Amino acid sequence: MSSCTPSRRPEPLFTLHTDTPERFAQAEEALASAYDIGPESGRPDLPPLLIDRVAGE
């Protein structure tokens, strides 16, 4: 999924796999700040794709 891609329940946002279960809690904490759930309708305000143009002579 990329930025602003809609997701519907029950579609998972992440799947964690590990060979080191003792680090799972740390990974969950990192993921908690890795996404933001916005309103159900509309898209977030994003900066413009083009900021400025460079013109040659």
Side-chain angles (χ1 to χ4, degrees):
M1 247 183 253
S2 64
S3 178
C4 301
T5 301
S7 177
R8 302 279 184 242
R9 287 183 186 170
E11 183 179 350
L13 295 177
F14 303 100
T15 302
L16 293 176
H17 300 273
T18 184
D19 289 330
T20 52
E22 64 276 6
R23 297 180 65 194
F24 201 82
Q26 182 182 1
E28 285 183 310
E29 289 176 22
L31 282 175
S33 63
Y35 65 94
D36 184 30
I37 298 178
E40 288 189 30
S41 61
R43 292 183 163 259
D45 293 330
L46 298 174
L49 184 59
L50 297 175
I51 297 170
D52 204 353
R53 293 181 184 209
V54 177
E57 293 184 53

